Amino acid sequence: MRMAQQAEPAAGAPPASGPGVADGRTTRRPLALRLLARPEVGVFLGAAAVLVFFLIVAPSVREGGSMATVLYQSSTIGIMALPVALLMIGGEFDLSAGVAVITSALTASMLSYQLTLNVWVGVIAALIVSLAIGAFNGWMVVKTGLPSFLVTLGTFLILQGANLAVTKLVTGNVATDDISDMDGFDQAKKVFASSVGVGGVQVKITVFYWLAFAALATWVLLRTKYGNWVFAVGGSKESARAVGVPVTFTKISLFMLVGLGAWFVGMHELFSFNTVQSGEGVGPELIYISAAVIGGCLLTGGYGSAIGPVFGAFMFGMVNQGIVFAGWNPDWFKAFLGVMLLGAVLINLWVQRTATRR
Amino acid sequence: MDRSSRSRSRRLAPAVAAAAALILAGCSSSSGGKKAEEGAANASAGKADTPRMTVALVTHQAPGDTFWDTVRKGAEAAAAKDNMKLVYASDPNAGNQANLVQNAIDQKVDGIAVTLAKPDAMKSVIGKARQSGIPVVGLNSGLSDWKKLDLLEFFGQDESVAGEAFGKKLNTTGAKKVVCVIQEQGNVGLTQRCDGVKKTFTGTTETLYVNGTDMPSVKATITAKLKQDTSIDTVVTLGAPFALTAVQSVADAGSKAQVATFDLNKELVKAVRNGTIEFAVDQQPYLQGYLAVDSLWLYKNNGNYSGGGEQPVLTGPAFVDKSNIDRIAAFAAKGTR
């Protein structure tokens, strides 16, 4: 419990927990300021603004089907943005997250096809590979003390090359073979890539997974010992170690969580499209990191939330599809995204300052 | 900025502007530039009086690619003529491209033109479009898959056929050893081109992968290859910008190799004209964009199928070399060939 008290100022005490320990040193601050001190408030306002904006300028956004498209795009970013955000709260960084998704999908697809196995075998093997990549990243970072930026940059390049080379070596092509007629495919497709009818609109299943994972991650961060460890190692590794937080375990497990996310998104891509292009996956890693940063995570670690990246990913999905719905010239998309990112970071900065002013 | 400096800048601004205008006027170029470009008017074919319709063109373009810009110009020309609103969107990532098609379906467009660089990824979303009663045509890539995916028509070139034609042409230039430069590892169409060259070319063909998003590294990689293997006498590139870079690489390496390429652009035409590039295979991207959009208009207003619903409409391979470059140069200067 002592640890929990230390982490609370960073995590933003959940309102349900009532007043903090009144020891005479702090006074209760106004509700507005306490709300503002939460990392996800800035991004929530931003996401609402973007949504309202596109609802006004693009009539076709107002239909249920369009929102399903936006949410689907957001979910493919958001599922990865969650573990990436946790990792960033833990003070680390993963550049290999984008290509790791493709690595996972390639592993499952090629293993099943080449050995003519039930696709679930490939799915499990891919999970092991993804977790191993995460473990390797974490182990390297912890053991060498190198910045995770450098370690994962190395992994990113290795995986990018291996994705292409191994695929070419095994299949003779640059894309994997179609596995849609193999045993277990339909089952796996139901799990990873089906659609669910909600009020006459087909919503992709990833949207539900995304929200479920976000709820789970929020609970872990705010209500469990592990969540406190994450904040602690991101805040200060030495202090955390001094009070008995298992730093090595926490860091490695956070990297493995990113691996888990990469596996999940990889499986979704595989069972949506039946084949995997080996050259893809370069670029999304920055999108995941951006979604986490827009969502209020600091690059320096020790601060952030799991719900913020959900709104961050939603902003990305909304802008991405919204520009097309509005019929604008998509040449501007990246510029718009950059402005949005800077704006979000500035809002976060302002919110921080306002909220922490006494 | 304090107030005094602001008022000073207010006084200064007109003076600076006037000086700049004078300097610019004194330095105008007597050749080339925007003035020369304005002399060449774009093709325009009046306008149809059919009801306004909206079509979406969804491609796998990477941002800033000259080839796709030409496709888009063709599509826009057809849309302007047919009284259409054209919604253009692109993403090189297969999943995102499928999402953009879904986006067009959500917008209830009257027709969709789509490239099938990754046909498997597009399968389900094209099925959805068909269910919604939206006609879908294919262009550029996916020649072997468009019928499987139940598209109405297809406009493009068979990459293997183009590669084979390229190889045959190389046999007539006396080439013995060529290197085929692939700028995007993992792109099926590009791989087919090199395989086609390999198939019909009687000499040896090597493949070289370069990072197409980073020109300096492309240049260095080709230079290194030419230095490492001095017996290479022809560099085959798969895109106009890469051909022009390869010319520099050849000079840097002090090699005697010729350069030949797939696809055209404005600068490449000049290079063919002055002989620094041997020849180019043109798949006529303008035509692909134009016909794809126009075909949706024909289908909607007259129920026509180009290619009779059985065969693709081929837009290439058309060879561009010294013999026919003059006819094409005028159009290329406008950026539409």
Side-chain angles (χ1 to χ4, degrees):
Chain A
M1 195 57 223
R2 271 201 43 193
M3 264 317 300
Q5 277 175 32
Q6 287 192 357
E8 259 172 17
S17 70
V21 186
D23 56 2
R25 282 182 301 182
T26 53
T27 48
R28 294 272 289 153
R29 305 169 60 222
L31 179 73
L33 280 184
R34 270 186 302 136
L35 264 183
L36 274 179
R38 301 186 61 83
E40 59 272 14
V41 167
V43 69
F44 172 74
L45 297 174
V50 169
L51 175 64
V52 170
F53 175 74
F54 279 112
L55 281 173
I56 293 166
V57 298
S60 43
V61 174
R62 293 167 211 161
E63 312 208 352
S66 308
M67 208 27 80
T69 307
V70 170
L71 285 174
Y72 169 59
Q73 170 100 44
S74 307
S75 71
T76 53
I77 298 167
I79 289 174
M80 274 308 278
L82 279 171
V84 165
L86 292 186
L87 180 70
M88 284 174 73
I89 296 170
E92 301 295 346
F93 207 75
D94 192 351
L95 285 176
S96 66
V99 280
V101 169
I102 302 298
T103 305
S104 202
L106 289 170
T107 307
S109 166
M110 288 196 292
L111 199 94
S112 306
Y113 186 87
Q114 299 299 330
L115 305 178
T116 324
L117 300 167
N118 187 306
V119 298
W120 283 105
V121 179
V123 169
I124 301 300
L127 176 61
I128 294 164
V129 167
S130 289
L131 291 174
I133 292 168
F136 172 79
N137 274 338
W139 181 80
M140 281 291 278
V141 167
V142 173
K143 288 296 160 207
T144 59
L146 284 167
S148 47
F149 184 93
L150 294 175
V151 172
T152 57
L153 183 63
T155 323
F156 162 73
L157 294 168
I158 293 168
L159 290 179
Q160 202 187 331
N163 283 353
L164 288 164
V166 174
T167 308
K168 185 92 182 165
L169 198 71
V170 172
T171 65
N173 294 310
V174 287
T176 61
D177 300 283
D178 192 339
I179 59 163
S180 60
D181 51 0
M182 297 180 66
D183 286 347
F185 183 89
D186 293 332
Q187 253 181 336
K189 192 178 171 88
K190 275 203 182 71
V191 173
F192 291 108
S194 55
S195 296
V196 183
V198 179
V201 175
Q202 288 293 310
V203 181
K204 286 259 180 29
I205 199 160
T206 48
V207 175
F208 302 103
Y209 280 122
W210 173 39
L211 299 176
F213 292 160
L216 182 69
T218 304
W219 177 77
V220 167
L221 264 186
L222 299 179
R223 285 275 182 271
T224 65
K225 197 159 60 169
Y226 183 79
N228 285 329
W229 291 349
V230 173
F231 279 111
V233 298
S236 164
K237 205 167 60 183
E238 284 68 32
S239 323
R241 196 167 262 139
V243 294
V245 172
V247 174
T248 305
F249 165 79
T250 309
K251 294 236 175 190
I252 292 181
S253 61
L254 282 171
F255 275 106
M256 286 172 82
L257 270 180
V258 176
L260 184 70
W263 168 76
F264 195 89
V265 176
M267 291 309 98
H268 167 69
E269 292 201 1
L270 173 60
F271 294 109
S272 297
F273 307 136
N274 315 338
T275 60
V276 191
Q277 303 278 331
S278 58
E280 292 197 338
V282 179
E285 68 280 346
L286 293 178
I287 304 279
Y288 305 146
I289 290 165
S290 307
V293 171
I294 289 179
C297 297
L298 293 183
L299 285 171
T300 47
Y303 184 84
S305 72
I307 208 77
V310 172
F311 292 120
F314 175 77
M315 269 171 98
F316 266 92
M318 188 69 243
V319 172
N320 203 329
Q321 299 296 323
I323 285 180
V324 185
F325 279 127
W328 295 349
N329 185 344
D331 293 354
W332 285 103
F333 169 62
K334 283 270 162 45
F336 200 91
L337 222 48
V339 169
M340 201 178 81
L341 180 66
L342 280 178
V345 176
L346 287 173
I347 288 174
N348 281 345
L349 186 75
W350 174 80
V351 165
Q352 292 290 314
R353 289 198 177 150
T354 318
T356 50
R357 201 178 297 143
R358 288 281 158 98
Chain B
M1 231 188 216
D2 65 357
R3 202 173 307 148
S4 66
S5 70
R6 204 176 299 164
S7 63
R8 194 180 319 138
S9 70
R10 216 175 281 154
R11 275 200 305 276
L12 263 175
V16 170
L22 279 173
I23 291 165
L24 284 178
C27 295
S28 67
S29 165
S30 59
S31 64
K34 185 76 188 162
K35 277 216 174 78
E37 195 187 318
E38 278 165 358
N42 273 327
S44 161
K47 193 167 178 181
D49 56 2
T50 44
R52 182 107 176 131
M53 57 190 275
T54 304
V55 293
L57 172 59
V58 182
T59 74
H60 59 276
Q61 171 191 8
D65 187 313
T66 53
F67 177 91
W68 287 106
D69 194 45
T70 313
V71 173
R72 194 173 163 183
K73 279 176 184 157
E76 276 164 356
K81 176 181 71 78
D82 294 337
N83 190 22
M84 282 179 179
K85 180 181 163 209
L86 179 72
V87 177
Y88 181 83
S90 68
D91 201 307
N93 172 301
N96 291 346
Q97 198 198 345
N99 236 345
L100 290 168
V101 175
Q102 178 63 50
N103 187 313
I105 299 169
D106 296 340
Q107 290 191 50
K108 300 192 172 61
V109 295
D110 301 297
I112 297 173
V114 65
T115 62
L116 305 174
K118 286 109 186 189
D120 290 304
M122 308 306 283
K123 199 181 280 177
S124 74
V125 81
I126 286 173
K128 271 191 201 157
R130 300 306 311 256
Q131 279 167 15
S132 323
I134 300 173
V136 186
V137 300
L139 70 150
N140 179 266
S141 45
L143 190 104
S144 47
D145 298 277
W146 68 279
K147 288 204 68 169
K148 269 184 261 170
L149 296 184
D150 205 21
L151 298 191
L152 287 177
E153 317 158 50
F154 183 86
F155 305 88
Q157 83 174 353
D158 185 331
E159 300 293 9
S160 302
V161 168
E164 285 164 25
F166 201 100
K168 283 180 194 149
K169 178 101 178 170
L170 282 175
N171 292 338
T172 65
T173 63
K176 295 276 176 290
K177 185 166 193 184
V178 306
V179 61
C180 194
V181 182
I182 297 187
Q183 71 265 21
E184 189 189 329
Q185 242 180 334
N187 180 314
V188 181
L190 296 183
T191 315
Q192 280 175 340
R193 287 180 179 181
C194 281
D195 290 349
V197 171
K198 203 174 280 181
K199 197 167 159 186
T200 53
F201 178 55
T202 47
T204 37
T205 312
E206 280 192 26
T207 310
L208 177 70
Y209 288 108
V210 294
N211 175 7
T213 54
D214 180 5
M215 254 331 167
S217 91
V218 172
K219 185 173 162 181
T221 312
I222 300 175
T223 305
K225 181 73 195 172
L226 291 171
K227 276 189 172 155
Q228 174 244 319
D229 187 348
T230 49
S231 65
I232 292 172
D233 54 25
T234 309
V235 180
V236 176
T237 57
L238 305 184
F242 306 100
L244 297 158
T245 304
V247 169
Q248 296 177 6
S249 298
V250 169
D252 286 356
S255 154
K256 292 267 184 297
Q258 301 169 333
V259 180
T261 186
F262 288 80
D263 297 343
L264 279 185
N265 71 8
K266 211 160 150 175
E267 279 65 38
L268 195 105
V269 168
K270 289 184 195 139
V272 171
R273 213 176 202 166
N274 62 29
T276 48
I277 287 175
E278 208 58 26
F279 63 87
V281 161
D282 184 18
Q283 59 171 311
Q284 309 191 73
Y286 187 88
L287 194 61
Q288 290 175 1
Y290 186 94
L291 290 179
V293 170
D294 207 27
S295 72
L296 288 165
W297 179 83
L298 282 166
Y299 179 77
K300 169 124 181 163
N301 290 296
N302 206 30
N304 290 125
Y305 293 87
S306 301
E310 279 299 320
Q311 292 292 326
V313 178
L314 295 182
T315 61
F319 281 98
V320 175
D321 55 18
K322 269 225 157 80
S323 65
N324 62 357
I325 192 70
D326 287 335
R327 279 211 64 247
I328 291 167
F331 305 120
K334 294 186 308 194
T336 55
R337 257 317 279 271

